[in-house]
Amino acid sequence: MAKNSHADVGIKVLSLPYNIYSPRDSTTGARSLDVTGELGMCFAGSAVSSLFVKESVAEVLKDLQHVPHHSNASMDGLARLVFTAYRLISKQVCSTAVGGNGRAVLVIAGWCIEKKCVRTFLLETSGANKYSCQEILTAPDQHHFIGSGKSKAEALLPTNPSSTDYLRVLKSVIDDPVVDSVGGSIQYGHFENGNFKLSGIVELKDGVHYRRGALDLNGTEFMGADDILIPGLSYIDPFNTFSG
């Protein structure tokens, strides 16, 4: 790989709010907001495909409409909607000169109003451009790694891992020069009361850094002006104060 041919600046763990409205009243034109929530998404592989899917889906999810007693407003229906966008966009990206480098793996998860639990779906594209969407993590204490550091992470993960163990393994893969396609700071999210909550990460190295992706929100660029807006993101310090 050529020097400086990639940069670890992407947001790969993110939240996608959604709103599902009733049909418009034929007289007043008003609609009621019947279901609202947040999906969690993470991805590995092509940033081009993944970010295009994210941008497209984010716009659509803001304003969905269902037909009472007919439309599927559960996580099955939401997963199918995201998968449709993923498949259509991936096909177009993979048909360009980017080719195989346009493939991406997405994981989406959210609270299912039908089964009253968080459900998780894996969206993939094979080398033959076959697209699939399958539910994963269907039992307690399961995990699923994606991306080029998958085998390394599996080898490092201890038996009966804690939340901290998963983060420690991720940090080891990030720091491993052999797996040069995995880098940047840890990105973290979890479900709380059915919604996906993102957290930045605290890094104690040459000072205190509060990172969200490539941004150090405690850096002088953000904190050096008197009238600066301060990000209200929560943070975790996984290797000093965070336990799971």
Side-chain angles (χ1 to χ4, degrees):
M1 180 175 290
K3 185 178 180 180
N4 296 329
S5 61
H6 69 282
D8 299 313
V9 297
I11 294 294
K12 293 195 171 185
V13 178
L14 47 97
S15 173
L16 295 173
Y18 66 88
N19 299 304
I20 304 177
Y21 294 88
S22 67
R24 294 188 184 277
D25 184 275
S26 59
T27 302
T28 65
R31 297 186 301 167
S32 62
L33 178 59
D34 292 349
V35 184
T36 185
E38 294 178 13
L39 300 180
M41 175 186 285
C42 67
F43 68 84
S46 169
V48 174
S49 286
S50 302
L51 293 177
F52 282 163
V53 172
K54 177 259 179 185
E55 292 298 321
S56 298
V57 169
E59 290 302 310
V60 173
L61 289 175
K62 291 177 184 177
D63 194 338
L64 298 172
Q65 182 170 295
H66 75 109
V67 178
H69 313 299
H70 179 73
S71 300
N72 187 343
S74 71
M75 267 305 295
D76 288 299
L78 289 166
R80 280 206 299 271
L81 184 146
V82 176
F83 179 59
T84 299
Y86 166 80
R87 187 177 65 246
L88 292 172
I89 291 173
S90 295
K91 282 182 178 179
Q92 293 186 58
V93 173
C94 289
S95 68
T96 68
V98 173
N101 292 328
R103 288 182 301 163
V105 180
L106 270 65
V107 175
I108 59 169
W111 180 260
C112 181
I113 62 172
E114 180 182 282
K115 296 193 175 181
K116 308 300 182 186
C117 65
V118 173
R119 297 174 67 191
T120 306
F121 292 81
L122 176 71
L123 285 59
E124 290 185 292
T125 307
S126 71
N129 280 351
K130 299 294 184 182
Y131 302 92
S132 63
C133 176
Q134 62 175 323
E135 187 170 3
I136 59 173
L137 308 183
T138 55
D141 301 321
Q142 290 184 330
H143 69 271
H144 193 100
F145 290 115
I146 62 173
S148 56
K150 177 177 179 177
S151 59
K152 180 71 173 182
E154 292 281 9
L156 292 173
L157 191 69
T159 304
N160 301 318
S162 67
S163 298
T164 309
D165 288 326
Y166 285 109
L167 295 171
R168 186 173 290 111
V169 165
L170 177 56
K171 185 68 166 62
S172 296
V173 176
I174 289 171
D175 292 341
D176 190 339
V178 176
V179 192
D180 63 357
S181 57
V182 180
S185 60
I186 290 174
Q187 299 182 34
Y188 180 83
H190 71 284
F191 279 92
E192 184 178 306
N193 298 322
N195 288 321
F196 190 65
K197 302 299 183 183
L198 295 162
S199 296
I201 186 167
V202 179
E203 290 185 355
L204 304 177
K205 183 179 180 182
D206 300 323
V208 181
H209 306 277
Y210 294 87
R211 298 195 182 277
R212 171 70 171 119
L215 301 179
D216 179 5
L217 299 172
N218 196 44
T220 56
E221 294 87 349
F222 286 100
M223 304 301 291
D226 292 336
D227 61 348
I228 194 74
L229 291 170
I230 300 173
L233 192 67
S234 64
Y235 297 88
I236 61 169
D237 183 5
F239 309 118
N240 295 285
T241 62
F242 181 81
S243 60

